[in-house]
Amino acid sequence: MAATFFGEVVKAPCRAGTEEEEEEEEEGRRETPEDREVRRQLARKREVRLLRRQTKTSLEVSLLEKYPCSKFIIAIGNNAVAFLSSFVMNSGVWEEVGFAKLWNEWCRTTDTTHLSPAEAFCIFYHLKSNPSVFGSCTRKNTQVTILTCRHVTDYKTSESTGSLPAPFLKALKTQNFKDPACCSLLEQPNIVHDLPAAVLSYCQVWKIPAILYLCYTDVMKLDLITVEAFKPILSSRSLKSLVKNIPQSTEILKKLMTTNEVQSNIYT
Amino acid sequence: MFVPCGESVPDLTGFTLLMPAVSVGNVGQLAIDLIISTLNMSKIGYFYTDCLVPMVGNNPYATGEENSTELSINAEVYSLPSRRLVALQLRSIFIKYKTKPFCEKLLSWVKGSNCARVIVLSSSHSYQRNDLQLRSTPFRYLLTPSMQINVQNKMKSLNWEEMEKSPCIPEINDSEFCVRIPGGGITKALYDESCSKEIQMAVLLKFVSEGDNIPDALGLVEYLNEWLQIIKPHSEDPTVPSLRWKMPSSWRLLFGSGLPPALF
């Protein structure tokens, strides 16, 4: 509870997220078998499913078993995806091998079964022309690279965030990742959460070499300067061999930007 | 599930497990941070679970360049074999509906690893205290029946106050009385499960409000120290608690970045 300047007492949200637990506890007491069954059905609907591209049938085995690879690169967010598309995937032939579908109560579609490929927000590609990148290796030999962006105000520093030279790159790597990072490591007390953290946690626990490159930016929508801030990683051991033509990449990137800009008008 | 850092699973037979409940003011978690940092406990493994929001960061207990780049995740296990202590630190909040599965997985790990006892550090909303609680110490303890047999006398000699029962449904006059820990997160669920599974568990909590909860965390570790004597008890050493417990480097900037000078 907290009092405001006007003398009203309001229920302030608890930092530890415990209000929901108390509601949950009460709900648990009032829950009927029907409620539990509804919740179970919802949980099943929320499962993430991996599907083969052409046939849209489920992948029976894990993606990395079917397409074993030594380098697994994940881009999360529009700027990271734009960087990967322009600078890495413009060279060689990349084949779509699958996509992920998921549904939860916040999705605008009603269910996953009729989700068209165009609506898929997670697509897997593999490099067709370069077998050395995707040789047959066990999971232990796979190296994972994750790219994502965060708003600069999330970065904690003793100076004010307004004085920071955004965009800038920071890295976090697992214990088994022995190569040097292409930028400085993320200092305490900064943390990362959500999907990039989930992937990095998995890699840390199961001793997979992995590195997360995090771009702190003040522009969260698709932005040329933010995408170019990822450029230092092109000299890393994992990406060096995949990058062929940087001037061409810059052109592709500029085209991507203009496609997106056309949609905006003076009111946005 | 517990995943060791090294190749083999460490033997925790007879150890005391210290763990926080994610509760109001995050006091339990701050207290565990103080314990791990002061005793320089080493990381022995991860409690890998999908019940907590994922998070990663570099070593929160870093003391210098050489140890500042070890990655930490949201649930990790540390130990100090010389004192037979093991600590579980939780660094993020629970995902909705996942508290019960977490309690079950945790307690089954506790039983499987043969820990002697579990001590949960927690907190409860100070605004929910009744008149008697307002006038007494803000610290409380709670013991499962199997723990009571062993330590009830110690609690009496320490003059500690047991957590009082209150009406289960406050709005109803003739409601039954039970132990309620508002703002305590999974504390009550863990306690109830431990009672039914006959696990030796003690809950130590403080009534707090959200804000700068570092003094509350210091208070809670001092309270625990009266019992376990993790560091020298203060009757022999008159220094202020904040000087005897080492705050981890990750406690910097707890309230955000620096302010823009232009603001003033």
Side-chain angles (χ1 to χ4, degrees), chain A residues 14-16 18 21-22 24 39 155-160 172 185-186 188-189 191-194 201-202 204 207, chain B residues 5 22-23 25-26 46 48 54-56 58-59 68-69 97 99 183 185 210-211 213 250 252-253 257-258 260:
Chain A
C14 179
R15 209 164 57 205
T18 55
E21 261 124 40
E22 278 156 41
E24 231 174 273
R39 200 169 290 159
Y155 183 72
K156 290 208 172 60
T157 169
S158 47
E159 318 153 26
S160 127
L172 273 177
L185 295 182
L186 189 62
Q188 292 83 344
I191 57 168
V192 177
H193 45 84
D194 296 340
S201 301
Y202 179 91
Q204 173 71 3
K207 302 183 172 56
Chain B
C5 286
V22 180
S23 57
N26 305 97
Y46 309 96
Y48 191 61
M55 104 349 84
V56 289
N58 274 327
N59 184 8
S68 67
T69 57
Y97 303 123
T99 52
E210 291 225 327
N213 298 105
S250 55
R252 276 182 68 232
L253 307 173
S257 295

Side-chain angles (χ1 to χ4, degrees), chain B residues 139-204:
Chain B
F139 298 102
R140 294 289 184 278
Y141 76 91
L142 204 53
L143 304 172
T144 55
S146 46
M147 184 72 141
Q148 259 168 7
I149 304 163
N150 296 329
V151 303
Q152 190 67 61
N153 292 332
K154 177 73 178 171
M155 301 292 142
K156 279 201 165 65
S157 70
L158 288 169
N159 241 345
W160 278 10
E161 300 248 11
E162 191 170 6
M163 186 66 176
E164 300 91 338
K165 293 199 166 122
S166 54
C168 290
I169 305 161
E171 295 81 39
I172 295 176
N173 280 338
D174 56 356
S175 150
E176 277 179 17
F177 274 61
C178 60
V179 169
R180 285 175 63 241
I181 308 176
I186 61 169
T187 310
K188 183 71 174 30
L190 272 178
Y191 174 75
D192 290 339
E193 276 292 303
S194 301
C195 286
S196 58
K197 291 187 161 66
E198 289 175 2
I199 293 175
Q200 288 193 46
M201 175 180 282
V203 174
L204 266 54

Side-chain angles (χ1 to χ4, degrees), chain B:
Chain B
M1 60 180 287
F2 176 73
V3 181
C5 286
E7 292 305 320
S8 60
V9 180
D11 183 13
L12 301 175
T13 308
F15 276 46
T16 297
L17 170 67
L18 303 173
M19 65 166 287
V22 180
S23 57
V24 55
N26 305 97
V27 177
Q29 295 159 285
L30 292 171
I32 293 288
D33 258 356
L34 284 170
I35 293 167
I36 295 171
S37 177
T38 307
L39 298 179
N40 205 13
M41 294 175 83
S42 342
K43 180 153 67 175
I44 58 167
Y46 309 96
F47 198 78
Y48 191 61
T49 172
D50 63 352
C51 301
L52 294 162
V53 170
M55 104 349 84
V56 289
N58 274 327
N59 184 8
Y61 311 112
T63 46
E65 281 288 323
E66 65 290 347
N67 63 7
S68 67
T69 57
E70 296 157 24
L71 199 68
S72 272
I73 69 167
N74 58 6
E76 297 187 315
V77 184
Y78 297 77
S79 85
L80 187 64
S82 57
R83 303 286 306 271
R84 295 167 79 71
L85 280 177
V86 57
L88 166 70
Q89 178 60 303
L90 303 177
R91 300 195 173 99
S92 58
I93 54 175
F94 283 97
I95 291 171
K96 207 171 162 74
Y97 303 123
K98 292 286 200 173
T99 52
K100 201 158 183 296
F102 180 82
C103 292
E104 284 162 13
K105 286 176 201 161
L106 176 72
L107 293 177
S108 109
W109 171 61
V110 165
K111 277 217 137 171
S113 55
N114 292 314
C115 286
R117 56 192 181 175
V118 184
I119 301 176
V120 179
L121 301 182
S122 181
S123 53
S124 184
H125 285 305
S126 63
Y127 71 80
Q128 292 256 16
R129 287 176 291 172
N130 61 28
D131 294 346
L132 254 148
Q133 288 168 332
L134 278 168
R135 290 195 282 261
S136 59
T137 165
F139 298 102
R140 294 289 184 278
Y141 76 91
L142 204 53
L143 304 172
T144 55
S146 46
M147 184 72 141
Q148 259 168 7
I149 304 163
N150 296 329
V151 303
Q152 190 67 61
N153 292 332
K154 177 73 178 171
M155 301 292 142
K156 279 201 165 65
S157 70
L158 288 169
N159 241 345
W160 278 10
E161 300 248 11
E162 191 170 6
M163 186 66 176
E164 300 91 338
K165 293 199 166 122
S166 54
C168 290
I169 305 161
E171 295 81 39
I172 295 176
N173 280 338
D174 56 356
S175 150
E176 277 179 17
F177 274 61
C178 60
V179 169
R180 285 175 63 241
I181 308 176
I186 61 169
T187 310
K188 183 71 174 30
L190 272 178
Y191 174 75
D192 290 339
E193 276 292 303
S194 301
C195 286
S196 58
K197 291 187 161 66
E198 289 175 2
I199 293 175
Q200 288 193 46
M201 175 180 282
V203 174
L204 266 54
L205 64 86
K206 186 176 190 233
F207 291 116
V208 304
S209 301
E210 291 225 327
D212 180 357
N213 298 105
I214 293 175
D216 298 310
L218 285 164
L220 194 60
V221 289
E222 284 288 337
Y223 185 59
L224 173 69
N225 203 44
E226 284 177 41
W227 173 19
L228 292 191
Q229 314 237 312
I230 300 172
I231 64 175
K232 254 186 348 175
H234 80 103
S235 52
E236 293 163 33
D237 176 3
T239 50
V240 177
S242 53
L243 297 176
R244 302 180 316 115
W245 298 92
K246 187 165 127 201
M247 296 195 207
S249 51
S250 55
W251 282 22
R252 276 182 68 232
L253 307 173
L254 217 49
F255 297 100
S257 295
L259 297 169
L263 200 64
F264 307 105

Side-chain angles (χ1 to χ4, degrees), chain A residues 170-174 184-186 190-192 200 210-214, chain B residues 56-58 71:
Chain A
K170 288 287 176 189
L172 273 177
K173 51 185 184 153
T174 62
S184 53
L185 295 182
L186 189 62
N190 289 290
I191 57 168
V192 177
L200 212 59
I211 186 160
L212 162 65
Y213 285 106
L214 185 53
Chain B
V56 289
N58 274 327
L71 199 68

